[in-house]
Amino acid sequence: MVDKDKYVIDLKEKDLSIEKIGGKALNLAKMLVAGFNIPPAFTVSVDAYDFFIKKELEGKISEKLKCIDFTSEDSISQGCSAIRSKIKSQELPPDLLLELTEKIADLPDGYYAVRSSAVAEDLADASFAGQLDSFLNIKKEDILENIIECWASYWTDRAVKYRHDSSIGHLDTELSSAGLAVLVQKMVNADISGVIFTANPV
């Protein structure tokens, strides 16, 4: 059972939902339950991103959004760059920082994937698949920095323009289609890899 007060969630926990951990992480959790050999992983929940933004940055981001002219690529680029810079320079709330650093400290040495897991990864009428950033072969000591980089990638030019064009609220993370978790997973030395689509991606 997921502890509602926790920001870090193991993929082995029960009753996981897309609203809590995003599409990418939820699909991996389903594979784990089905018996697939999934490398160890945890997620930094949608609630963690929501808490960070609402507590520290919502007002500043809102002001920047009001100044963006969505008919101008330069205006979008400048506004989004300013928002990403604010996210990456803002200190995390102490309780969130403590939970993340304790979890990371308990990890074995090695290399990790730090990947965005959006709530709107693959919805019927919207998809953020491929629009947000992922980082591979990350050392343990660099995981926290890359979690914040994933959060900042919610504000890339392409993601912001997509949300605007799809009428998805940029700051309304209570919407079912707006929210961002981060998946942290142990890397493996693969001999081969690939992608399979079970539905037409177009």
Side-chain angles (χ1 to χ4, degrees), residues 26-110:
L26 182 63
N27 286 328
L28 284 170
K30 288 178 178 178
M31 292 175 69
L32 187 63
V33 170
F36 286 86
N37 185 17
I38 303 299
F42 67 86
T43 58
V44 184
S45 71
V46 171
D47 293 338
Y49 170 82
D50 193 22
F51 174 58
F52 173 52
I53 295 298
K54 279 186 163 40
K55 185 174 177 62
E56 307 291 350
L57 292 167
E58 187 170 32
K60 297 174 184 177
I61 292 174
S62 181
E63 287 301 314
K64 289 294 180 183
L65 287 171
K66 290 176 183 176
C67 297
I68 294 177
D69 174 4
F70 281 94
T71 65
S72 166
E73 289 187 8
D74 286 342
S75 179
I76 295 171
S77 179
Q78 290 171 11
C80 291
S81 177
I83 291 171
R84 292 194 304 273
S85 294
K86 285 186 179 298
I87 289 172
K88 288 187 277 189
S89 63
Q90 181 67 46
E91 291 186 4
L92 295 179
D95 45 353
L96 176 56
L97 177 62
L98 179 63
E99 188 173 342
L100 289 173
T101 52
E102 285 182 345
K103 180 64 176 181
I104 292 168
D106 287 340
L107 295 174
D109 290 334

Side-chain angles (χ1 to χ4, degrees), residues 50 54 58 154 168-179:
D50 193 22
K54 279 186 163 40
E58 187 170 32
Y154 194 74
I168 297 173
H170 299 288
L171 289 166
D172 191 357
T173 48
E174 293 180 3
L175 289 174
S176 61
S177 56

